[in-house]
Amino acid sequence: MIEIRNVSKSYNKGQIKAVDDLSLQVQPGEIFGFLGPNGAGKTTTIKMIVGLLEPDRGSIVVNGYDIRKDPIKVRKSIGFVPDNPSVYERLTGIEYLNFLGDMYDVPRAVRTKRAKELLELFELTGDVGNLIQSYSHGMRQKLVLIGALLHAPDVFVLDEPMVGLDPRSAHNLKEIMSRHCQEGKTVFFSTHILDVAERLCDRIGIIRRGKLIACGTMDQLRHMANNKETLENVFLELTEQ
Amino acid sequence: MKTWRLVVLHINLNFGLSVLRHHWKTKDKKLLGQAGITAVVLLTAATFGGMYYAFLNMTYNALSALGHGQAVLTMGVVTSSLFVVLAGLALVVSVFYFADDLEFLVSLPLWPHQVLAGKFATVLVNAYLIAAPFAIPTLVLFCIREGMGPSYWLTSALVFLFIPILPLTIASVGVLFIMSVTNIGRHKDALRVVGLSLLLMLALGFNYLFSSAAAGMENIQSILRDSEGLVRIVGRAYPPAVWATRALNPVTLSSGVLYAVLFAVVSTAGFGLMMVAAHYLFYKGLIAGKEVSPGRRLRWDELDFRFSEASPIRAIARREIRILVRTPIFMFNSVAMLVILPLISVFTMFMPGSDTLRALIQSGVARQTIMLGAAGFIAIMGMFAPSPASAISREGKLFWISKMIPVTAADQLKGKLVYSFALTALAIPILYLYSLLVFSWSALEFVAIILLGMAGSAPVIISNLLIDLFRPYLTWDDPQKAIKQNFNVVAGMLAGSAILFVLYKAFEGALEMGLGFWPAWTVAGALAVLLALLMYAYMVKVSDSLYRRIPV
Ligand SMILES: Nc1ncnc2c1ncn2[C@@H]1O[C@H](COP(=O)(O)OP(=O)(O)OP(=O)(O)O)[C@@H](O)[C@H]1O
Ligand SMILES: [Mg+2]
């Protein structure tokens, strides 16, 4: 569960208001898609949810824990995939996964089993002994994904996760996301791929210039626009001007 | 023209001019911070320059009485050139081969030497900063003491501009060569660290050989009889220094212009040579420079044995060590430098004529002083080998991982401490070697040295870590910037020196109060532990709130 209440965040001492009085809730068992034009404030919001940035105002509760009061418990509940998969180039894939396993206290047997499954699924088994430096962009992305899932987080947060993944991997990721929410867990992700959002998400939020301008199920969003055919039409109409 | 554009771009990036302009426009408070940092750096440089000036002044007094005053010019030029070569090596490697923008630059329609010229500009402006604390006091001192006029000012400005060029081109050509021939095989990074260390040894050894051999060869009388004798002896390792001296010396000032021109022409020719070398060698070392030869592909069932469990603190310490060892520029900067320098000084002990020196250091008071020095060496190693003042800065863009993991900042810092002490302990085998070869310490003395040294390193390391914690520099684009061109490293050196000075004063005070050598030794150790504990408690207390404030 994610609960964002009246959160604001500005950069450069208030000159750029990246997120402006944003409130939204994502329930357990829900996949929430976060849409919006470039620079709308998606990444900023996500960074605040996972604790990489401190909100100027407002509160965020993840899995029942307040990010300010219980930061360690929040972090234990979250698996995060950032928009740019930068990881330790000078470690091997397996060393990276082991490092994360140690950080999240995942017992050896459990981490071996999960990592093996995910590595097989994403066809990374053969490369995992090599330095991450030798990985392609997509391979890094997949490794970060596996790392984020290693501790079976209750809340899965992804920032534009489909970018750079091949079709099979993107398909697998979508499978994982929906399996995740069937288990009663929460998924929150931003994307520019409206098809994915439309087919995958239980609810969708659209953010523009830091403000949530629309939020709801696909049907609810359709009601807000004149041209109701596709999410693309809705999105274009709502984010105009 | 394109080359010039690149040069301007790199100078802009190096000094963050666009960033400054942005802060200026937005009236950001960061501007004040920047100004403060610049002031501290300038002050530090000025302090070093002042110390060097005082030293030169004494030397000048002694030499001018013999009529050899101009030899300080030669000394100044040789010293600044040597420092440019030494500090330049690591700088050149990092800027030429490990900058983030290289892949982008390579993709532009430019020749290798054009790209290199841009990179060289970055290195050169830094080289001026390295040379300045040595060259400027020299030039100013000579001007004041000899009462030189305007023509000297002009020539000396010209000489200063050319001083770092030749040493830097020498370092660059060496690096271009090493990097292009080591761009092979699986252990490329290790090869490179070894190659660069050899280059460094060569530079030092070359200088040492010439200066010591020169002193032995001719007798003092004949050197002093010749009015330029000393100049030529000092400048033997580096003839351009002699030209620079002649260009500036009032006696030879008439022909001085010629020597100034010679100095400039040879420097420019060196630069040209480097450009030619760059044209052929630069991309050879660079392309596929990031390529890593993969190991065997793993099979599914092999994975079982690849997972292991460790406590978070140990896992973090291990990560730090792995990254250090596998990043050539970090490795070269922190470990290799500190293994090479002591080794070279061991060699010097065995040069002919050093018997008396050895006898001296094995006796009485000198022996005690040297034991103290050895403990100090361990503590200083703690300041450099693990580079605790850049422990957080080095994470750079990857700091997001440290903020994500559910491990308290205090525990993460403990991991970094474990790593720092582990690297500091590298000083122990080096000292053991020393003991075997030169000092012949007893087992008890050796243990005492290690205990005091490690105790002394603790407050140094923790203070440095604290400094980095307050204001980590995470936005670097080449690793050298994190570890060397990082203000925290300068501040950490100042703090570390201050702490060691206090410890030394405590030792001295204890001796003066009538305590014996070993009790005074214990006092210094106890004070070090106390300081360390206080700072540690403070660090643990503030770590979480500081970590949270660091933006990513
Ligand atoms: N580090 C920063 N410093 C200053 N301003 C920033 C910073 N990061 C983001 N911004 C500003 O905050 C606003 C929101 O940026 P954010 O990265 O959240 O957008 P986004 O919705 O993720 O965009 P995109 O779809 O392009 O990823 C933008 O106006 C951006 O210029
Ligand atoms: Mg974004």
Side-chain angles (χ1 to χ4, degrees):
Chain A
M1 185 217 53
I2 302 171
E3 210 178 322
I4 302 174
R5 244 183 267 134
N6 306 102
V7 164
S8 296
K9 173 79 194 175
S10 52
Y11 292 104
N12 293 332
K13 309 266 177 312
Q15 295 192 8
I16 301 170
K17 235 174 175 185
V19 174
D20 192 358
D21 198 28
L22 183 86
S23 297
L24 61 86
Q25 273 202 9
V26 187
Q27 298 305 329
E30 197 171 48
I31 301 187
F32 189 89
F34 204 36
L35 311 182
N38 293 132
K42 299 182 295 296
T43 299
T44 307
T45 308
I46 286 179
K47 280 185 172 176
M48 287 191 288
I49 295 174
V50 301
L52 291 180
L53 276 179
E54 290 214 289
D56 295 338
R57 257 176 297 119
S59 69
I60 298 176
V61 175
V62 176
N63 214 18
Y65 304 113
D66 187 295
I67 54 162
R68 252 178 259 219
K69 290 183 202 121
D70 278 318
I72 300 294
K73 282 184 180 146
V74 168
R75 286 185 235 165
K76 275 211 162 162
S77 327
I78 289 183
F80 171 52
V81 181
D83 53 356
N84 176 10
S86 39
V87 271
Y88 307 113
E89 303 236 315
R90 305 277 171 171
L91 296 188
T92 65
I94 203 117
E95 284 167 352
Y96 173 72
L97 293 178
N98 250 324
F99 174 75
L100 288 180
D102 290 336
M103 296 299 118
Y104 287 92
D105 268 331
V106 185
R108 180 168 172 250
V110 180
R111 87 172 71 151
T112 311
K113 183 170 161 289
R114 279 201 201 121
K116 278 170 77 176
E117 274 169 24
L118 289 164
L119 286 168
E120 271 304 282
L121 182 68
F122 285 109
E123 297 165 341
L124 219 54
T125 307
D127 304 288
V128 83
N130 294 332
L131 287 183
I132 297 175
Q133 202 180 9
S134 70
Y135 289 16
S136 73
H137 181 93
M139 286 158 76
R140 284 170 207 225
Q141 183 113 343
K142 290 192 273 187
L143 186 71
V144 173
L145 251 170
I146 296 171
L149 290 167
L150 202 60
H151 59 292
D154 284 326
V155 177
F156 196 25
V157 181
L158 308 95
D159 196 358
E160 297 187 31
M162 305 296 168
V163 177
L165 290 185
D166 61 41
R168 183 187 305 280
S169 303
H171 172 78
N172 286 334
L173 175 60
K174 283 182 266 181
E175 290 279 290
I176 287 177
M177 283 159 76
S178 39
R179 207 181 332 137
H180 211 76
C181 83
Q182 278 156 24
E183 290 165 10
K185 295 174 173 177
T186 312
V187 180
F188 185 105
F189 75 107
S190 78
T191 185
H192 290 300
I193 310 173
L194 300 175
D195 276 357
V196 172
E198 189 166 1
R199 262 183 289 136
L200 207 61
C201 296
D202 298 308
R203 282 196 308 141
I204 289 170
I206 299 178
I207 183 174
R208 197 180 100 224
R209 295 196 202 124
K211 284 193 193 309
L212 195 66
I213 52 167
C215 183
T217 61
M218 208 38 232
D219 285 336
Q220 287 169 333
L221 288 186
R222 279 206 183 91
H223 280 291
M224 299 174 70
N226 298 323
N227 189 338
K228 301 173 178 13
E229 245 172 78
T230 61
L231 181 59
E232 184 174 5
N233 298 121
V234 176
F235 180 87
L236 290 177
E237 202 179 313
L238 287 176
T239 55
E240 222 170 359
Q241 341 99 54
Chain B
M1 201 56 226
K2 277 183 190 164
T3 313
W4 182 242
R5 283 269 175 80
L6 272 175
V7 168
V8 171
L9 172 79
H10 278 94
I11 289 176
N12 179 355
L13 289 176
N14 185 63
F15 290 115
L17 294 182
S18 295
V19 179
L20 277 182
R21 206 175 308 134
H22 178 76
H23 287 338
W24 179 256
K25 267 197 205 143
T26 56
K27 306 246 172 342
D28 197 317
K29 279 215 200 78
K30 284 192 190 116
L31 205 60
L32 274 176
Q34 285 289 339
I37 287 175
T38 314
V40 172
V41 170
L42 286 181
L43 213 67
T44 314
T47 315
F48 274 108
M51 276 155 54
Y52 190 65
Y53 187 91
F55 165 72
L56 277 180
N57 203 18
M58 281 176 353
T59 318
Y60 180 84
N61 286 339
L63 291 181
S64 65
L66 301 169
H68 283 265
Q70 80 271 29
V72 293
L73 284 177
T74 328
M75 271 176 58
V77 176
V78 169
T79 311
S80 34
S81 307
L82 186 66
F83 270 87
V84 169
V85 172
L86 295 185
L89 275 177
L91 198 62
V92 164
V93 177
S94 168
V95 172
F96 285 10
Y97 291 94
F98 295 100
D100 273 0
D101 59 355
L102 280 167
E103 281 181 16
F104 161 69
L105 289 176
V106 167
S107 75
L108 298 178
L110 298 168
W111 290 105
H113 65 264
Q114 289 178 310
V115 174
L116 194 94
K119 292 288 162 203
F120 188 79
T122 308
V123 187
L124 188 61
V125 290
N126 287 294
Y128 281 115
L129 298 181
I130 297 165
F134 302 100
I136 291 179
T138 310
L139 296 170
V140 170
L141 176 108
F142 198 73
C143 180
I144 295 175
R145 296 298 300 265
E146 300 262 335
M148 303 299 281
S151 74
Y152 173 87
W153 303 341
L154 257 172
T155 328
S156 64
L158 184 79
V159 166
F160 175 71
L161 284 180
F162 277 96
I163 280 177
I165 293 182
L166 196 58
L168 208 55
T169 50
I170 293 171
S172 302
V173 171
V175 166
L176 282 169
F177 176 73
I178 294 278
M179 293 300 275
S180 64
V181 295
T182 53
N183 195 5
I184 38 167
R186 207 163 142 55
H187 300 290
K188 183 163 50 192
D189 285 347
L191 261 178
R192 287 180 162 176
V193 172
V194 171
L196 291 169
S197 305
L198 283 178
L199 207 61
L200 187 69
M201 284 220 205
L202 203 71
L204 274 176
F206 190 71
N207 189 270
Y208 175 77
L209 270 182
F210 270 93
S211 48
S212 63
M217 256 157 32
E218 294 171 54
N219 69 27
I220 302 288
Q221 289 301 321
S222 68
I223 294 173
L224 291 183
R225 230 176 293 130
D226 178 357
S227 71
E228 261 205 332
L230 208 53
V231 170
R232 268 192 280 118
I233 294 295
V234 177
R236 188 163 287 186
Y238 187 61
V242 178
W243 308 334
T245 310
R246 287 186 187 149
L248 295 167
N249 190 358
V251 183
T252 46
L253 208 56
S254 48
S255 59
V257 183
L258 279 178
Y259 281 105
V261 170
L262 181 63
F263 190 54
V265 166
V266 170
S267 299
T268 314
F271 178 75
L273 194 73
M274 182 201 65
M275 292 296 262
V276 174
H279 190 83
Y280 294 105
L281 298 178
F282 184 31
Y283 283 4
K284 245 193 212 165
L286 184 65
I287 292 179
K290 289 197 164 174
E291 179 187 325
V292 274
S293 4
R296 197 169 49 84
R297 292 181 68 81
L298 291 178
R299 283 193 322 272
W300 193 68
D301 49 316
E302 284 175 301
L303 284 180
D304 287 336
F305 309 103
R306 294 298 195 105
F307 283 96
S308 61
E309 226 177 297
S311 76
I313 294 176
R314 257 188 58 198
I316 283 175
R318 196 154 59 189
R319 174 197 69 184
E320 303 283 299
I321 291 176
R322 279 183 173 142
I323 290 177
L324 176 93
V325 171
R326 292 175 192 171
T327 311
I329 201 73
F330 291 167
M331 185 70 179
F332 178 65
N333 254 311
S334 48
V335 185
M337 285 278 221
L338 286 144
V339 175
I340 292 164
L341 295 179
L343 280 184
I344 283 181
S345 58
V346 168
F347 291 142
T348 61
M349 294 277 175
F350 288 90
M351 297 301 280
S354 57
D355 297 349
T356 39
L357 186 66
R358 252 185 299 159
L360 185 72
I361 55 183
Q362 276 161 357
S363 68
V365 178
R367 185 181 178 83
Q368 295 189 339
T369 313
I370 284 174
M371 281 169 56
L372 200 64
F377 170 70
I378 300 183
I380 291 172
M381 188 89 159
M383 187 151 64
F384 288 106
S387 263
S390 63
I392 300 166
S393 298
R394 263 175 289 149
E395 291 191 30
K397 286 171 214 146
L398 300 183
F399 191 71
W400 73 270
I401 298 176
S402 293
K403 278 193 102 170
M404 275 308 301
I405 51 181
V407 176
T408 58
D411 278 352
Q412 297 192 31
L413 290 170
K414 282 178 206 166
K416 288 182 193 285
L417 281 183
V418 171
Y419 146 84
S420 298
F421 285 120
L423 276 193
T424 307
L426 286 181
I428 295 172
I430 296 174
L431 281 181
Y432 186 68
L433 193 71
Y434 257 63
S435 181
L436 280 184
L437 294 177
V438 192
F439 300 121
S440 331
W441 289 309
S442 71
L444 203 68
E445 285 170 332
F446 190 63
V447 170
I449 289 172
I450 290 170
L451 286 180
L452 183 63
M454 292 306 281
S457 76
V460 171
I461 289 173
I462 300 174
S463 66
N464 276 238
L465 206 53
L466 260 174
I467 288 174
D468 204 29
L469 180 61
F470 270 95
R471 206 172 171 285
Y473 169 42
L474 299 171
T475 52
W476 45 267
D477 51 12
D478 86 66
Q480 170 79 17
K481 285 192 181 158
I483 201 160
K484 275 283 152 74
Q485 285 159 278
N486 182 346
F487 165 71
N488 295 351
V489 173
V490 181
M493 260 152 61
L494 289 178
S497 315
I499 288 171
L500 291 181
F501 181 72
V502 167
L503 291 179
Y504 175 72
K505 278 288 163 195
F507 175 80
E508 214 181 45
L511 279 185
E512 275 165 17
M513 274 165 54
L515 290 179
F517 180 74
W518 289 119
W521 189 273
T522 316
V523 167
L527 181 63
V529 172
L530 183 72
L531 277 177
L533 286 178
L534 286 177
M535 282 192 276
Y536 178 76
Y538 178 67
M539 185 181 81
V540 168
K541 192 162 157 266
V542 296
S543 56
D544 269 314
S545 69
L546 285 176
Y547 248 54
R548 212 174 321 142
R549 279 213 325 247
I550 301 171
V552 284

